[in-house]
Amino acid sequence: MIRLALALLQAPTSVQAPAVADPYPVYVWRQGGPGPSPAWAEAIRALGFRGTNIQGGELPTTATQLGLAFYADHLARREVFHRDSNDPAWKLCLEEFERTRTPAALLRTPSLDDRKVLEVMRADVTQRAARAAAAGARFVSITDEPSFTVGANPLDFDWSPPAILSFRERLRARWPRVEDLKAALGPNAAHHDRTLPFLTDEAVAHAAAPGPWNFAGWNATRESADATFASALASAAEAARTAAPSVPVGFLGGRPPGAFGGMDWRALLRWRPDVLEIYDVGAARELVRALAPQAALIDTAFLADAGAEYTPDLVPARMSWLFARGGRATILWSNAALFDASEGEQPRAALQATEGALAVSARARALRALAEQVRVSSPARSEIGIVVSQPSIRAGWLFDARRDGTTWPRRFSTHEYEHSTALASLDSWFTLLEDLGYSPRAIDARDLSSNPLPRMLVLPRTLALSREESDAIRRHVVQGGYLLAEGRPGILDGDLCGGAGGALDDLFRLEPAKFVGFADENLEPSALAIRSAAGSIILEPQLRSGASPSPSIAFAGAEDRALLLNISVALDRDARLEPASPSARALRALLRPWIEKHLAAPPIIARSESGLPLAVHREPFDGGMVAFVTVNVRRRPKLARRDPIDVTLELRGLWSRAKAVRIDGGAAPLPVDENGTVRLRLDPKHLAAVRFSL
């Protein structure tokens, strides 16, 4: 399936498309800059870029008459799945809700539970997909940056009559008996046909009170919104595939999982998209690669984003880092940044490319040559799985929002991605384990009972666990697996009820008097408290430990097969990038021996005296493997602005006798010494690709 999706993405499907298959296609997103013309198309091709975008109802002839490949975006009309924060309809709803705090302001337009809306949407998608396929589209995208609200912005959509009806139908499916509905949701749920969606105002106020808590009604409301959004997107995809069966179908601008916006990835990916663009926030990329291994990953290079740390000179670096993590195509944003020309200009002479365009062109050529050798991207099997729990992410949002009070609707996307404790914890665990040489994979908590599990599970700030999930975790440990967790897993159940204790307390032999909870966690640097005792570790800003003046750092249980960290690993996300951070060093000193005691050492460990953390992304290749070595500084890319560094790769086990060939920039054999060590030079702003064979 992966090979099929990539072949469709790369190969021409019409005589109107360019005849050369491209293992690493680059598409120029047309915003600003010179308009389409033969001179512009020739300049695009001279840079090594062979494609552009067609938007909404635009005719494909804009690209095909110039001999350019294209992808078709926004098969659905923009307002169905995508609105910007300055959209008048969105601003009206937000401002009216903040003024009145009533559901009358919470009508999503259009409502995705309205059958007539969906019929019109499917007709639009069918027409645009068929037209794109006939013209030779490389792939089609249902929408860009899809959201049930705007991005991750929070608002209690949707209170339209069709949405309320859908909500009640889902309540009836979940709790068929009225008695069970009342017991689960409380007195506000008198009957299925009279129960209204639960408001976030009430949930935030409830979260500010001491536990125990019951957020079941609010969780059911958010779950219903996610289900509606996923169902509508799947319906659009079905229409596109019916109209264009030979063209890859997907969507662009996917965001990290969240409480709002519809980003429940397990639900979104049920229709198995062929092509996806995923923003690199909150481990979203790792989650999608695990749940949708068949999807070809496309990334956007924001060459003109003045607010991004990596523009303009680190855009090629980001392309390389994303290639190492599965990226096999790039969309350049935008045309305005590629040429020294005015918007709409129709030049007669050759266009002059900017320095940024030339740098991206050179990097794209290098990655294209590498992709010729490694066309299919599939992560190596991992012994460590990081559990992603959608209810826990919702609960994390609620506890974060307590600080905001009634201003919670202003927790906009940019704030959420930077300050969400749930996303910070996910990010931190992935980078922490990568720093230790491992390549963890993501596992949705709902799949713990059905999938073969890796030997070690990691629970990152997993506040909520259903009975089935906690039983599956406990069974995994009892049967010989291992568990690593932070905080107190499962203080809430799968419906977000509880607070008296954790679902896995017995597994860790938890001593409550020595436990520090997550009630007052803070990500601000000033809140860090560093404990100087043996095993210096990041601790919570407020230490409430009952009778114990010195809280324990960790609790081991189940014959040392389960380890609970009494700390906030989320704080390591930035601490690890500080020079000589004592807390980051101590955390790794604590975890490395415990993990290596139970798991085989990683086949490759990368080391450098440069002070830059490194990551090794391994993929199976022709009976051996390819290792992509990069610096691991995507939270702070400016650290890569330095000269090449010396890197040592330590090969473990059978791989210590492997043959090594460096394949980025050619095919240069690398000597492996008697200790299984390989030495190489790494440009921090690029990658090193090494093929190993036994």
Side-chain angles (χ1 to χ4, degrees):
M1 285 298 295
I2 302 174
R3 291 185 185 275
L4 176 61
L6 284 168
L8 289 169
L9 180 62
Q10 296 157 2
T13 56
S14 166
V15 294
Q16 295 170 293
V20 179
D22 192 342
Y24 186 83
V26 177
Y27 302 93
V28 176
W29 204 83
R30 289 179 295 111
Q31 182 181 55
S37 69
W40 174 77
E42 184 57 36
I44 292 293
R45 283 190 288 268
L47 288 167
F49 313 148
R50 299 189 178 93
T52 187
N53 62 312
I54 298 297
Q55 296 288 107
E58 184 181 14
L59 295 178
T61 50
T62 301
T64 57
Q65 287 182 351
L66 298 174
L68 293 174
F70 74 94
Y71 71 91
D73 195 6
H74 287 293
L75 295 188
R77 295 181 185 273
R78 294 174 69 91
E79 64 270 16
V80 177
F81 294 112
H82 171 95
R83 286 192 186 276
D84 297 317
S85 57
N86 60 357
D87 181 89
W90 163 258
K91 291 176 68 175
L92 179 64
C93 287
L94 175 61
E95 292 167 3
E96 184 67 11
F97 177 74
E98 288 182 318
R99 186 180 68 84
T100 65
R101 315 304 285 202
T102 62
L106 300 174
L107 305 180
R108 189 186 192 275
T109 305
S111 173
L112 296 183
D113 290 288
D114 188 324
R115 293 181 180 179
K116 292 182 179 179
V117 167
L118 297 180
E119 288 172 3
V120 172
M121 178 267 291
R122 286 177 60 90
D124 287 337
V125 169
T126 297
Q127 180 190 45
R128 293 175 178 182
R131 183 170 59 203
R138 296 299 178 90
F139 70 93
V140 294
S141 168
I142 303 300
T143 187
D144 189 9
E145 297 186 342
S147 175
F148 196 62
T149 55
V150 168
N153 295 6
L155 205 57
D156 289 326
F157 282 161
D158 177 14
W159 277 68
S160 67
I164 292 175
L165 180 61
S166 293
F167 172 67
R168 289 169 173 169
E169 289 173 349
R170 290 176 179 129
L171 290 184
R172 184 175 281 104
R174 175 70 173 81
W175 295 283
R177 300 193 316 157
V178 172
E179 295 82 359
D180 295 333
L181 180 73
K182 290 180 181 178
L185 305 190
N188 289 338
H191 191 278
H192 298 97
D193 295 332
R194 295 194 295 274
T195 301
L196 293 171
F198 288 67
L199 291 168
T200 300
D201 267 345
E202 299 165 356
V204 169
H206 184 32
W213 300 283
N214 183 345
F215 304 114
W218 181 80
N219 184 62
T221 303
R222 303 271 36 91
E223 204 170 60
S224 181
D226 287 351
T228 287
F229 189 69
S231 176
L233 203 56
S235 179
E238 180 188 25
R241 282 180 167 160
T242 301
S246 63
V247 180
V249 178
F251 60 88
L252 304 177
R255 301 170 185 271
F260 294 87
M263 289 291 108
D264 178 349
W265 278 104
R266 186 171 178 267
L268 285 174
L269 295 174
R270 285 190 181 125
W271 56 274
R272 296 177 60 82
D274 308 301
V275 182
L276 290 167
E277 180 205 10
I278 310 300
Y279 290 161
D280 195 18
V281 181
R285 191 180 190 88
E286 285 72 22
L287 178 60
V288 170
R289 289 191 83 189
L291 293 177
Q294 80 288 344
L297 293 187
I298 298 177
D299 297 297
T300 296
F302 293 95
L303 193 59
D305 187 352
E309 277 193 272
Y310 50 80
T311 58
D313 60 310
L314 291 175
V315 172
R318 185 172 179 271
M319 291 168 65
S320 294
W321 300 341
L322 292 171
F323 183 98
R325 296 164 61 220
R328 289 300 181 269
T330 287
I331 296 170
L332 282 179
W333 194 89
S334 63
N335 185 47
L338 296 181
F339 303 109
D340 293 321
S342 300
E343 183 171 353
E345 181 181 339
Q346 300 292 335
R348 296 178 181 177
L351 286 167
Q352 183 69 39
T354 62
E355 289 187 11
L358 294 173
V360 167
S361 172
R363 184 55 50 87
R365 294 179 197 275
L367 295 177
R368 185 174 296 118
L370 187 54
E372 285 277 10
Q373 304 176 70
V374 191
R375 285 183 174 248
V376 177
S377 178
S378 177
R381 183 175 177 83
S382 176
E383 289 193 293
I384 301 180
I386 297 179
V387 177
V388 181
S389 162
Q390 187 71 15
S392 294
I393 289 169
R394 293 190 191 111
W397 186 93
L398 271 181
F399 289 127
D400 288 345
R402 291 179 304 183
R403 308 184 195 110
D404 303 306
T406 58
T407 67
W408 61 262
R410 295 282 166 174
R411 288 187 67 91
F412 295 155
S413 300
T414 51
H415 179 90
E416 183 68 10
Y417 299 156
E418 186 64 23
H419 297 281
S420 163
T421 48
L423 297 184
S425 180
L426 283 169
D427 269 339
S428 294
W429 274 106
F430 273 97
T431 52
L432 168 59
L433 291 167
E434 288 169 355
D435 289 350
L436 296 176
Y438 295 94
S439 300
R441 68 181 175 94
I443 300 174
D444 190 282
R446 289 162 287 191
D447 294 326
L448 287 170
S449 298
S450 57
N451 282 358
L453 299 179
R455 293 186 64 198
M456 181 174 290
L457 294 177
V458 176
L459 301 181
R461 191 175 163 80
T462 309
L463 302 177
L465 286 169
S466 69
R467 173 66 64 84
E468 293 77 12
E469 292 162 358
S470 59
D471 286 349
I473 293 168
R474 186 177 284 102
R475 186 166 57 249
H476 174 70
V477 174
V478 169
Q479 293 176 353
Y482 301 98
L483 178 63
L484 181 57
E486 66 167 309
R488 198 170 195 174
I491 61 170
L492 302 172
D493 64 17
D495 295 317
L496 301 192
C497 298
L504 301 175
D505 283 0
D506 60 311
L507 199 60
F508 296 108
R509 298 185 303 189
L510 190 62
E511 301 176 49
K514 296 183 178 181
F515 181 78
V516 178
F518 276 162
D520 294 292
E521 186 174 43
N522 194 323
L523 287 179
E524 296 302 322
S526 61
L528 293 182
I530 303 298
R531 178 180 170 193
S532 59
S536 175
I537 286 291
I538 302 171
L539 292 179
E540 300 279 347
Q542 286 84 20
L543 302 181
R544 293 194 175 95
S545 55
S548 172
S550 179
S552 297
I553 288 174
F555 295 87
E559 300 178 357
D560 197 34
R561 290 198 300 274
L563 183 68
L564 178 69
L565 301 182
N566 194 19
I567 59 176
S568 173
V569 175
L571 300 169
D572 184 66
R573 180 175 64 170
D574 292 314
R576 61 182 285 275
L577 297 174
E578 297 295 335
S581 167
S583 57
R585 288 203 315 269
L587 182 57
R588 283 148 184 78
L590 172 69
L591 288 182
R592 188 188 299 275
W594 189 82
I595 295 175
E596 292 188 354
K597 174 183 176 182
H598 299 300
L599 299 182
I604 306 174
I605 294 180
R607 303 187 191 278
S608 171
E609 295 183 1
S610 66
L612 293 176
L614 302 172
V616 179
H617 302 282
R618 296 177 286 110
E619 298 188 4
F621 183 79
D622 284 351
M625 68 174 168
V626 170
F628 298 107
V629 184
T630 69
V631 295
N632 202 6
V633 296
R634 53 187 182 268
R635 276 278 299 177
R636 203 173 298 173
K638 64 182 180 181
L639 295 176
R641 290 188 176 114
R642 56 185 299 173
D643 293 333
I645 60 177
D646 292 315
V647 172
T648 299
L649 302 182
E650 298 175 5
L651 307 182
R652 304 293 182 88
L654 291 175
W655 295 104
S656 63
R657 300 191 296 274
K659 295 179 181 179
V661 178
R662 185 164 182 173
I663 60 173
D664 56 294
L670 293 174
V672 181
D673 68 19
E674 66 276 7
N675 297 317
T677 300
V678 176
R679 292 175 174 82
L680 54 82
R681 293 277 283 174
L682 172 66
D683 179 356
K685 298 181 288 297
H686 193 22
L687 55 75
V690 184
R691 185 179 69 232
F692 294 96
S693 57
L694 294 172

